Amino acid sequence: MAQHQFQTEVSRLLHLIIHSLYSNREIFLRELVSNASDALDKLKYLTVADDAYKSISLDPRIDLSFNKDAQDQGSATLTVADNGIGMNEQDLIESLGTIARSGTRSFLEKLSADAKKDSNLIGQFGVGFYSAFMVADKIEVISRKAGEEQAWKWTSDGQEGYEIEAAARDSQGTTVLLHLTGEGAEYANRWSIEDIVKRYSNHVAFPIYLTYDEQESPASAGDGDKGKEKGGKTETIRINAGTALWRRSKAELKEEDYHEFYKQLGHDSEEPLFYVHTKAEGSLEYATLFFIPKKAPFDMYHMDYKPGVKLYVKRVFITDDDKELMPTWLRFVRGVIDSEDLPLNVSREILQQNKVLINIKNASVKKLLAEFKALSENPAEDARQKWQAFITEFNRPLKEGLYQDWGSREALQELVRFKSTAVEGAGGGGTSFADGGWTSFAGYVSRMQAGQKHIYYITGGDEKTLRASPLLEAYRAKDMEVLIMDDEIDDIVIPSVGRYSARDGDTAKDYELKAVNRAGADEELGEKKDQAAEKEAKPVLGKLKKALGERVKDVKLSRRLHDSPSCIVADENDPSMQMAQMFKAMGQTGPEIKPILEVNGEHPIVAGLKDVDDEARIADVAGVLLDQALLVEGLKLQDPADFVKRLNRLLSPSSRMAV
C-alpha cells in the first residue's frame, strides 16, 4: 500500500470543503454522476474510433446504491459505479491527488474571500469530485482502466493524503464508495437520490440505475412510516430519462428542461442567462444547443481556458476540449453540437479542417450573433435586463471578435458597447441603461453634431482618469461626445477597426474612429490656428523642447486645452503610451515611444516662461509639465523622485515664478 500526500492546493481545497462549505451540499451527487458520464463518453468513443478498444463489449450504465445500516463500516454508505474508461494507478494520482488546472488558485481565493462559503462554486472550477467530502468522511475509489487487467483502490479521509493499493474489479470502470457523515446519511435514501438525479442529471445520455431494498410508496405509507424499509426484496430501477435533449423538439420541452440540462452540462447552480436551440436539415443535418451563462467562466481570460462546447456525432460523444468548435471570442458559450454528417472516427486533426464542421461552426456563429442582436433590440424590460447583464459580462470578448473575426466584424460593431461622455449612454434600440452610461456606435452617431465627420474616443486604463483627462476639455466645450475606452484591449482593437459604417436602409455612411490622444485629432474642433499666437509661443516652445530633449518627440501649442497647462498625445504613426507600457509589462521590447507634449499658451505657467532665461528654472517647469501630463493619463513616471524634487523647488518660497 503506497502512501501519498495531497498537492498543496488540494489540501487547502479539502480543508475549505470539510470545514466551511454548507450550502446546497446535494450537488456532490451531480458531480459524481457527471464524472461517470464523462468516463462512459470517452470509452464509447474509443470503441468506435480506436482499434485497441473495438473488442470491448460496452453496455454503458451508471449504477447507484446505498446502505443505511453499514455498521461494519461505522456509517451509512453511498456507491456510484460506472463501466466507463476507468483509471490506473497513475491516473488516480493525477486525477485525485493533484489539481493541475490553473483556475484552482482563483477558485481557492474566491472561496476563501466569500463571507458565505458557497458549494455552488465547486462544479464551475472543475473540482467536482472533492465535493463528496461535504457529505463523507472517507472515500474509496476502485477503478480498472479499459484494456488493463489490474485494478487499483484509492482511499482518503480528506485530511493530509491518500493511499493507493492493488485491488480487484470484474471489468473496466470506476466505483466510488462514500462513507457518509452523520449529516450526509440523509442521502442514503431512495427518494433523496431519485429527486437529485431527476433534477440535476435527468438528461445524462446513459441510463442511471438505482438499486434499493423495496420500500412502501410515500403516497401510500402512513405519516409515521414514509420512507421506512418494508422488507428484504431488492429492486433495481432506471431513474433518468437518458434522452439527448438537444435532439428533441422544442415544442415538447419546457424552460425548466433546458435549465436543468444546462446545470448538469455547465456545472452551474444558476440558470443560464438565455439559450439558443437549433435543428438544421438539408444539405447538412445537425442540432445545436447553446447556453449563455449569467456569469463569465472563471477561466475566460486564461490561456488554458476549458472550452464549453461538446461535439457529438450521431449522439456519440467525440470531444469536449477542442477549442476549434467555437471562435476564441465565443469561449464563454456552453453547449452541444451534434452532427449526422461527420464520421464517428473523426480525429482532432481532421476536425480542424473538416468542411462539415467549419460550415456548422460558421452557421452557429451567425445564429448566436442574430440572437444577441435580437436581444439588444428587444424593448421588453426583462430583455433589457438580460442584455445589460450580457454586455456587462461579455462585452470584452465581443471586442476581441472585432479584432479576430473579420467575417463577423459588421455584426459585432452593432453589439459592442462603450462608456461615453454623454450624460446618458444608449443601449440597443436607443433605450438608455439605468446606469453605466453604455452606448453603441449607432447610438453615438445618432447624437453627433451637425457636420461632425468622426467618432471620437479616448483610451486608457481607468474610466475615472479618462473622464478627467484634459484632452477632453475642447470636446466638452464644443459639446462633442467622446467614447471612454478603459479596457486594455481597446488600444489594440479599435485602431484595427478604423471605421464604423452606419446604415440607413440600403445606404451606408462611414465614420472614421479617431483617438483624441493622437496628434491631429483636434482638426475638427473648429479652432483655426492662430498665426499670431503660434509666433508668440514659438520661443517658449523652443525653451521647453530644449529642456526636455530626448524625453519628447515634439512640443506643440495645443488647440484642445482650455483649463489645463499641458497634455500628452501620441504621434499618429506610433502606438499610444498606454499600449507601450502594456507591451513592456508583458516583457516585449521595442523602440521607445516618445510622447508629443502639447501646452496651453494662455495658461499662466506656460505664459510665465516667456521672459525666463534661467535654464534650471525652465528645466524644472518643463519636467513638471510633462510629468503631470503623464500622471493625469494614468501613466507611470520614469523618475518619480526627480518629479518631486522639481515640484518642491518650484513651490519653495524663494521661487520667482508662481506655479
Side-chain angles (χ1 to χ4, degrees):
M1 181 180 296
Q3 300 278 346
H4 298 268
Q5 291 294 116
F6 280 124
Q7 182 192 36
T8 303
E9 283 81 2
V10 177
S11 295
R12 289 181 59 202
L13 175 67
L14 289 172
H15 179 81
L16 284 168
I17 287 174
I18 295 169
H19 298 286
S20 302
L21 297 178
Y22 55 85
S23 68
N24 199 20
R25 292 181 302 157
E26 64 192 24
I27 63 129
F28 83 91
L29 188 54
R30 178 194 72 186
E31 296 301 314
L32 295 181
V33 169
S34 180
N35 290 344
S37 176
D38 288 344
L40 289 167
D41 269 331
K42 291 172 183 176
L43 183 57
K44 186 176 181 181
Y45 170 64
L46 289 173
T47 58
V48 174
D50 193 325
D51 290 338
Y53 294 89
K54 287 184 178 179
S55 61
I56 295 177
S57 177
L58 180 62
D59 180 19
R61 60 185 287 159
I62 300 170
D63 284 280
L64 308 179
S65 61
F66 61 91
N67 187 346
K68 287 186 176 181
D69 304 310
Q71 297 299 330
D72 57 325
Q73 300 292 336
S75 64
T77 62
L78 175 61
T79 303
V80 180
D82 66 73
N83 58 341
I85 188 67
M87 294 176 282
N88 57 25
E89 182 180 17
Q90 187 60 36
D91 294 331
L92 287 168
I93 293 172
E94 292 177 356
S95 299
L96 304 185
T98 303
I99 306 178
R101 296 186 59 194
S102 62
T104 305
R105 188 173 301 278
S106 300
F107 168 72
L108 290 169
E109 290 172 355
K110 184 173 181 63
L111 198 61
S112 300
D114 285 352
K116 178 182 179 181
K117 304 302 189 292
D118 192 353
S119 61
N120 294 339
L121 294 168
I122 284 178
Q124 300 173 31
F125 285 82
V127 291
F129 169 80
Y130 303 102
S131 64
F133 281 105
M134 289 191 293
V135 298
D137 51 20
K138 180 182 177 183
I139 299 178
E140 298 174 41
V141 178
I142 300 173
S143 192
R144 176 178 162 186
K145 192 164 188 175
E148 299 182 9
E149 294 297 323
Q150 182 63 60
W152 298 90
K153 181 179 179 181
W154 180 98
T155 307
S156 177
D157 60 2
Q159 300 298 319
E160 297 299 323
Y162 56 94
E163 299 172 349
I164 294 182
E165 60 185 313
R169 199 177 194 276
D170 292 339
S171 62
Q172 86 282 340
T174 301
T175 300
V176 180
L177 176 63
L178 308 182
H179 297 269
L180 301 172
T181 62
E183 292 182 344
E186 66 177 291
Y187 299 107
N189 178 288
R190 172 191 172 184
W191 313 112
S192 295
I193 293 172
E194 273 198 74
D195 177 61
I196 294 170
V197 169
K198 288 184 183 300
R199 279 191 290 123
Y200 293 117
S201 308
N202 199 40
H203 303 294
V204 168
F206 305 105
I208 302 174
Y209 294 97
L210 173 62
T211 300
Y212 63 96
D213 288 335
E214 188 177 26
Q215 299 174 355
E216 183 177 305
S217 168
S220 61
D223 290 340
D225 296 321
K226 285 184 180 179
K228 289 186 177 181
E229 304 292 345
K230 290 297 179 182
K233 186 178 179 181
T234 300
E235 294 281 349
T236 298
I237 60 171
R238 181 169 176 170
I239 56 175
N240 73 316
T243 56
L245 180 137
W246 58 88
R247 283 289 183 177
R248 294 167 62 186
S249 167
K250 288 186 278 188
E252 66 179 271
L253 293 171
K254 299 178 181 178
E255 192 166 81
E256 293 79 7
D257 296 322
Y258 287 108
H259 290 175
E260 292 308 322
F261 177 71
Y262 165 73
K263 290 177 182 178
Q264 182 267 325
L265 175 79
H267 299 285
D268 200 342
S269 61
E270 290 192 278
E271 298 172 352
L273 192 61
F274 57 94
Y275 54 86
V276 182
H277 189 184
T278 302
K279 293 181 72 174
E281 296 177 346
S283 58
L284 286 178
E285 184 177 345
Y286 63 89
T288 61
L289 177 54
F290 299 125
F291 297 92
I292 307 302
K294 284 185 177 178
K295 295 293 182 182
F298 80 98
D299 60 351
M300 188 164 71
Y301 298 114
H302 294 180
M303 288 292 292
D304 61 344
Y305 71 90
K306 182 174 176 58
V309 175
K310 294 186 176 185
L311 175 65
Y312 287 78
V313 174
K314 301 179 178 68
R315 299 172 186 80
V316 176
F317 171 78
I318 303 299
T319 181
D320 63 354
D321 62 356
D322 193 329
K323 295 182 179 180
E324 298 297 321
L325 296 178
M326 274 285 145
T328 305
W329 60 272
L330 280 173
R331 59 190 177 275
F332 55 87
V333 174
R334 299 293 182 251
V336 169
I337 294 174
D338 189 353
S339 169
E340 292 290 327
D341 302 298
L342 287 167
L344 282 171
N345 61 348
V346 64
S347 69
R348 182 169 299 181
E349 291 73 25
I350 294 175
L351 277 177
Q352 295 175 3
Q353 302 175 4
N354 187 277
K355 290 184 178 180
V356 170
L357 187 59
I358 291 172
N359 288 335
I360 293 174
K361 175 181 175 180
N362 291 339
S364 297
V365 171
K366 289 181 180 179
K367 180 64 175 176
L368 285 167
L369 286 170
E371 291 293 327
F372 298 163
K373 186 174 189 294
L375 181 63
S376 74
E377 296 174 344
N378 191 330
E381 180 60 28
D382 62 335
R384 303 309 310 150
Q385 292 175 0
K386 283 184 179 180
W387 173 247
Q388 185 171 355
F390 172 79
I391 212 67
T392 298
E393 293 293 322
F394 305 117
N395 194 39
R396 175 168 169 166
L398 296 185
K399 290 181 186 177
E400 293 176 22
L402 285 174
Y403 185 78
Q404 299 169 356
D405 191 344
W406 286 77
S408 301
R409 175 170 286 187
E410 185 175 338
L412 285 167
Q413 282 188 334
E414 302 302 328
L415 294 173
V416 291
R417 296 293 186 262
F418 307 97
K419 300 293 180 65
S420 168
T421 58
V423 176
E424 283 189 335
T431 303
S432 296
F433 284 156
D435 57 13
W438 296 99
T439 185
S440 61
F441 281 134
Y444 180 101
V445 169
S446 71
R447 297 186 295 274
M448 286 174 61
Q449 297 294 313
Q452 185 177 336
K453 300 177 181 178
H454 307 299
I455 295 174
Y456 292 104
Y457 67 92
I458 183 170
T459 59
D462 177 75
E463 181 186 353
K464 184 178 180 181
T465 300
L466 291 178
R467 289 188 180 277
S469 173
L471 292 166
L472 302 181
E473 290 174 359
Y475 296 91
R476 286 198 183 94
K478 297 289 183 180
D479 201 24
M480 284 186 178
E481 184 177 351
V482 178
L483 298 177
I484 305 293
M485 299 193 179
D486 57 345
D487 199 316
E488 60 185 14
I489 68 169
D490 288 331
D491 249 327
I492 300 173
V493 171
I494 303 305
S496 76
V497 174
R499 294 179 176 275
Y500 168 70
S501 181
R503 293 195 171 275
D504 184 6
D506 294 331
T507 62
K509 184 176 182 181
D510 285 347
Y511 295 92
E512 185 179 357
L513 305 175
K514 280 208 169 232
V516 302
N517 46 359
R518 293 263 177 202
D522 56 354
E523 294 174 358
E524 199 178 358
L525 289 172
E527 303 279 357
K528 294 183 179 180
K529 286 188 177 182
D530 187 330
Q531 300 296 333
E534 290 271 356
K535 184 177 180 180
E536 185 178 354
K538 191 172 182 179
V540 174
L541 299 179
K543 292 177 184 179
L544 292 172
K545 189 171 183 178
K546 180 181 178 182
L548 292 171
E550 294 299 313
R551 291 189 65 189
V552 296
K553 195 165 192 175
D554 200 358
V555 179
K556 295 182 177 181
L557 191 66
S558 180
R559 288 185 288 178
R560 65 186 103 212
L561 293 174
H562 281 208
D563 303 317
S564 301
S566 62
C567 66
I568 56 164
V569 295
D571 187 277
E572 290 184 275
N573 300 314
D574 289 341
S576 68
M577 294 292 290
Q578 289 89 350
M579 186 184 296
Q581 287 200 357
M582 182 176 68
F583 287 153
K584 187 175 181 180
M586 295 166 59
Q588 298 185 20
T589 57
E592 183 182 358
I593 306 301
K594 298 176 182 178
I596 295 172
L597 179 68
E598 290 193 358
V599 295
N600 181 353
E602 297 179 1
H603 195 280
I605 293 177
V606 178
L609 290 175
K610 181 179 179 181
D611 299 321
V612 176
D613 296 319
D614 184 342
E615 291 188 358
R617 178 69 61 183
I618 294 171
D620 284 343
V621 173
V624 169
L625 286 173
L626 176 60
D627 285 344
Q628 73 173 10
L630 291 167
L631 285 172
V632 81
E633 297 302 326
L635 299 170
K636 293 182 180 179
L637 301 183
Q638 289 183 347
D639 191 346
D642 180 67
F643 169 70
V644 172
K645 289 178 182 178
R646 292 183 187 278
L647 188 60
N648 286 340
R649 285 196 294 267
L650 292 173
L651 292 174
S652 65
S654 60
S655 175
R656 292 171 297 167
M657 181 180 298
V659 180

